[in-house]
């Protein structure tokens, strides 16, 4: 049901989905010289990105005996050889204030709007250059690094994204009502929906969501001992978190699954204090559903761009669910070999799961776990998110700040926000500088900037997988 709203109506970019659509379009269309030019741009972007990723891999470069060409993971590593810049006594490196050598996130920034990118940068500056160093100096944030900082920052950031996403969704009631029109009665001839044979019918969701929701509640009760009423409460939470996840993924390609899971953990620390199993599993359910919904829309985006029918895509995804379950579940059990001790061991460290477990153990104390400043951050973040969306609505989208982008910066590393902001800025400047439509600069970085970005994302992502396989299988 969110597809017509976020893809058809709001046209969110879903940068990685857009990149996939652009790659497929360029590979299968384009006539003559223009098609060849796009293919070259795609190839050059992929080659440059892949080369940088390879040169950053110390082990692979060592095997190739190219130590002299090995690049640092972050350009600021060169600065740290000479001196250590600090803010309030904390090194910038320990605040994640770094500049990645990889250009994959820069390319992702090139596919998102300048409004979202600027919002990410504002949030990152406030969080990592002002709040974090101050709170570390006062002992409120214990330790440094992304994990310790985000354990404080995520509460305000998620609150900001929550109110921003919910208000944005509810601010267009006509679109919501249109989605459900005709579900309980026939439309008049003049209101005939031209997309009725293309989009999935709304009755499918009206019937399916309660059935699957109750099935999930039952499975949670049988498998993990989650009380019925606690399972039922998780259903509306899933809807709220899905709105946040879809907004964040649609604008930046990043889904804040971990942050959303921790918000669920906070909720259940109040509803079921001391129950670690319920705390972890409800967070797992809500976080996973929200993440899957957001990533599903990311997959639907290229199909939408290329004219694919949602009904056909739904059939393909359903086949994928069955195939994935038949393969993934047996493989996971084979890896465990009926030995649960391998989970979170050196063999399967699962760092994300360890963080969720640690949060659940700490949250057995309920809201008293949160420092008063974190509780204040929740209230302030919620208010800011509401105000930003009201201003966006009143200005018809011209207000220069995105609530979701601003809040997301609090659960990302500074380096990620910086790279994406740099990408958006570079292509915005290209549009201002290259004005001659016949020049190479205009054709490459203005008229076909999506192709360049798509190539960089594809090349960096593919070579990243290859390098991981080389390290774990060939070079171990």
């Amino acid at each position: 049901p969110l597809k017509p709203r976020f893809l058809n109506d709001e046209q969110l970019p879903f940068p990685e989905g857009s990149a996939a659509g652009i790659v497929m379009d360029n590979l299968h269309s384009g006539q003559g010289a223009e098609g060849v030019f796009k293919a070259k741009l795609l190839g050059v972007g992929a080659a440059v990105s892949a080369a940088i990723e390879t040169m950053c891999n110390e082990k692979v470069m060592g095997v190739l005996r190219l130590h002299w060409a090995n690049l640092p993971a972050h350009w600021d590593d060169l600065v740290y050889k000479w001196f250590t810049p600090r803010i309030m006594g904390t090194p910038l490196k320990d605040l994640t204030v770094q500049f990645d050598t990889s250009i994959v996130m820069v390319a992702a920034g090139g596919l998102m709007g300048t409004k979202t990118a600027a919002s990410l940068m504002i949030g990152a500056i406030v969080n990592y250059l002002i709040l974090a160093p101050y709170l570390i100096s006062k002992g409120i944030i214990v330790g440094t690094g992304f994990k310790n900082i985000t354990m404080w920052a995520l509460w305000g950031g998620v609150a900001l994204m929550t109110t921003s996403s919910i208000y944005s969704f509810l601010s267009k009631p006509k679109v919501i009502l249109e989605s459900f029109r005709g579900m309980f009665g026939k439309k008049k001839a003049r209101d005939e929906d031209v997309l009725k044979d293309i989009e999935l019918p709304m009755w499918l969701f009206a019937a399916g969501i309660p059935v699957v929701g109750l099935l999930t509640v039952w499975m949670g009760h049988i498998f993990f001992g989650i009380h019925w009423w606690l399972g039922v409460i998780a259903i509306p939470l899933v809807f709220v978190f899905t709105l946040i996840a879809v907004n964040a993924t649609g604008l930046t390609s990043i889904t804040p699954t971990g942050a959303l899971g921790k918000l669920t953990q906070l909720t259940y620390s109040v509803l079921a204090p001391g129950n670690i199993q319920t705390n972890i599993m409800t967070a797992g359910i809500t976080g996973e559903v929200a993440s899957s919904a957001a990533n599903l829309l990311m997959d639907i985006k290229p199909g939408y761009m290329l004219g694919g029918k949602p009904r056909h895509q739904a059939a393909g995804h359903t086949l994928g669910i069955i195939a994935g379950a038949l393969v993934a579940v047996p493989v996971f059990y084979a890896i465990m070999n009926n030995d649960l001790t391998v989970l979170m061991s050196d063999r399967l460290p699962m760092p994300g799961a360890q963080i969720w477990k640690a949060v659940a153990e700490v949250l057995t104390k309920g809201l008293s776990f949160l420092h008063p400043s974190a509780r204040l951050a929740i209230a302030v973040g919620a208010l800011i998110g509401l105000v930003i969306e009201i201003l966006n609505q009143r200005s018809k989208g011209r207000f220069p700040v995105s609530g979701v982008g601003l809040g997301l910066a609090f659960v990302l590393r500074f380096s990620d926000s910086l790279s994406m902001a740099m990408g958006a800025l570079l292509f915005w400047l290209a549009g201002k500088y290259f004005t001659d439509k016949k020049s190479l600069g205009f054709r490459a970085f203005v008229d076909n900037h999506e192709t360049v970005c798509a190539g960089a994302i594809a090349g960096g992502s593919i070579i990243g997988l290859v390098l991981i396989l080389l390290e774990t299988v060939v070079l171990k």
Side-chain angles (χ1 to χ4, degrees), residues 235-253:
I235 303 301
L237 282 179
V238 164
F239 176 72
V240 173
F241 293 168
T242 298
L243 287 180
I244 302 170
V246 169
N247 269 293
T249 306
L251 292 172
T252 66
S253 285

Side-chain angles (χ1 to χ4, degrees), residues 279-290:
N279 190 286
I280 291 177
M281 291 315 304
T282 51
I285 292 170
T286 54
E288 184 63 26
V289 173

Side-chain angles (χ1 to χ4, degrees), residues 79-340:
V79 175
Y80 274 89
K81 291 181 178 180
W82 304 97
F83 68 100
T84 304
R86 300 172 182 268
I87 295 181
M88 299 185 193
T90 302
L92 293 184
K93 190 174 184 179
D94 294 339
L95 294 169
T96 75
V97 181
Q98 298 180 285
F99 188 16
D100 286 340
T101 306
S102 170
I103 63 171
V104 172
M105 297 301 284
V106 175
L111 290 174
M112 70 175 63
T114 53
K115 178 176 177 176
T116 303
S119 302
L120 281 170
M121 201 66 250
I122 293 170
I125 290 171
V126 171
N127 186 36
Y128 289 103
L129 298 184
I130 300 174
L131 295 178
Y134 174 77
L135 295 171
I136 290 172
S137 68
K138 295 296 182 182
I140 296 173
I141 294 179
V142 181
T144 59
F146 176 70
K147 178 182 176 181
N148 292 316
I149 293 172
T150 197
M151 285 295 290
W152 180 91
L154 71 88
W155 306 111
V158 170
L160 200 159
M161 287 189 286
T162 300
T163 54
S164 178
S165 298
I166 294 175
Y167 185 88
S168 174
F169 182 77
L170 297 177
S171 65
K172 294 183 179 180
K174 185 177 179 180
V175 178
I176 301 172
L177 293 174
E178 282 293 326
S179 299
F180 290 91
R181 284 185 63 195
M183 201 168 70
F184 302 107
K186 292 184 178 180
K187 293 182 178 181
K188 297 179 181 179
R190 68 174 182 271
D191 294 329
E192 190 67 25
D193 185 5
V194 296
L195 299 178
K196 68 176 183 178
D197 295 324
I198 298 176
E199 301 285 357
L200 290 173
M202 192 56 60
W203 66 261
L204 185 67
F205 306 105
I209 289 174
V211 172
V212 176
L214 290 174
L215 179 62
T216 304
V217 171
W218 175 78
M219 293 174 69
H221 178 70
I222 296 298
F223 295 154
F224 305 109
I226 302 172
H227 290 297
W228 291 100
W229 69 278
L230 293 173
V232 170
I233 289 174
I235 303 301
L237 282 179
V238 164
F239 176 72
V240 173
F241 293 168
T242 298
L243 287 180
I244 302 170
V246 169
N247 269 293
T249 306
L251 292 172
T252 66
S253 285
I254 297 174
T255 309
T257 307
L260 296 177
K262 290 172 182 63
L263 188 59
T264 308
Q265 289 183 279
L266 178 63
T267 303
Y268 279 88
S269 71
V270 177
L271 298 175
N275 192 330
I276 293 179
Q277 185 161 300
T278 293
N279 190 286
I280 291 177
M281 291 315 304
T282 51
I285 292 170
T286 54
E288 184 63 26
V289 173
S291 173
S292 295
N295 289 322
L296 178 63
L297 286 182
M298 180 82 81
D299 295 337
I300 293 175
K301 176 70 175 184
Y304 173 77
M305 294 168 60
L306 301 173
K309 290 185 178 181
R311 292 194 180 201
H312 293 167
Q313 288 182 285
H317 283 118
T318 303
L319 292 173
I321 291 169
I322 298 170
L326 291 175
V327 174
V329 174
V331 168
F332 189 73
Y333 273 90
I335 291 174
M336 289 195 299
N337 194 26
N338 292 323
D339 181 11
L340 293 178

Side-chain angles (χ1 to χ4, degrees), residues 354-389:
Q354 293 195 47
I355 294 175
W356 283 31
K357 178 188 174 187
V359 170
E361 290 173 342
V362 175
L363 282 176
T364 53
K365 301 175 184 177
L367 283 174
S368 60
F369 151 72
L370 291 179
H371 190 275
S373 62
R375 295 178 221 169
L376 177 62
I378 292 175
V380 173
L383 181 61
I384 291 175
L386 198 59
V387 170
I388 288 175
E389 286 309 315

